[in-house]
Amino acid sequence: MSEPQAGVAVPDTADRLPRWLQAWPATVWWLGVHGGAGESTLSALATGSRPAQHGWPIPDTGGTAHRVVLVARANWGGLTAAQRAATEWASGALGDGVRLEGLVLIADAPGRLPKPLRDLQQVISGGVPRVWTLPWVDAWRLGPVEPFTALPREFRALLADLRLTPSGSAHN
């Protein structure tokens, strides 16, 4: 699905993310749909991108749209938060100011995702334009993201798909 759909109900106020008027330019806004989703990590990896601070970045100038990527951890809480955000976007409640590029799911632990979570991920995938799944990076658990180190191929593919320039020499 590449644009909001007629007939999708606007979620209850309690299930919506806040909205922030944003005048700042960004090549992409990373919208973490819950705390600890990884929006700050992704913004550190891509030049010109910004974390959306867990709220929809609404342009303060009419006739413009921000490119937004939802970000969530691949656990039950993260997936259900992503589903609520995707439903909010699909309802058309955000107007023309948000161009949803897709959803990034970041592993919350090493290893394969359990089947119930894979099934939920599959359901959510049908409601967004694109889904990228990123692996667990143990080094980032122990210290800050270093943009001058080599990125896993899944991260490089995400940045390439979104036509983003890696920070530092993180593209190796």
Side-chain angles (χ1 to χ4, degrees):
M1 171 188 332
S2 62
E3 53 189 61
Q5 302 294 302
V8 175
V10 176
D12 186 83
T13 303
D15 290 331
R16 293 186 229 162
L17 291 170
R19 299 175 188 181
W20 314 116
L21 283 179
Q22 294 290 351
W24 294 98
T27 51
V28 165
W29 290 91
W30 305 107
L31 173 48
V33 297
H34 59 87
E39 67 178 17
S40 296
T41 298
L42 291 171
S43 70
L45 297 175
T47 300
S49 69
R50 293 183 180 271
Q53 306 301 323
H54 307 293
W56 294 103
I58 305 298
D60 69 346
T61 305
T64 61
H66 288 313
R67 293 174 65 205
V68 175
V69 177
L70 302 175
V71 183
R73 289 289 172 176
N75 56 34
W76 183 84
L79 289 169
T80 56
Q83 188 173 35
R84 288 189 301 272
T87 301
E88 183 176 0
W89 168 77
S91 74
L94 300 168
D96 296 332
V98 171
R99 189 172 100 209
L100 186 66
E101 299 286 337
L103 166 64
V104 170
L105 294 172
I106 302 175
D108 67 325
R112 187 177 164 125
L113 199 61
K115 184 174 181 351
L117 296 178
R118 284 194 317 269
D119 292 345
L120 181 55
Q121 177 182 328
Q122 185 66 33
V123 169
I124 297 164
S125 295
V128 293
R130 174 90 191 262
V131 176
W132 297 270
T133 56
L134 303 180
W136 174 261
V137 180
D138 202 49
W140 294 346
R141 184 177 192 204
L142 301 172
V145 175
E146 294 291 339
F148 296 100
T149 60
L151 288 176
R153 66 178 163 76
E154 296 89 347
F155 285 82
R156 292 191 315 267
L158 166 67
L159 298 181
D161 287 349
L162 292 170
R163 298 173 309 282
L164 296 173
T165 304
S167 298
S169 59
H171 59 284
N172 296 330

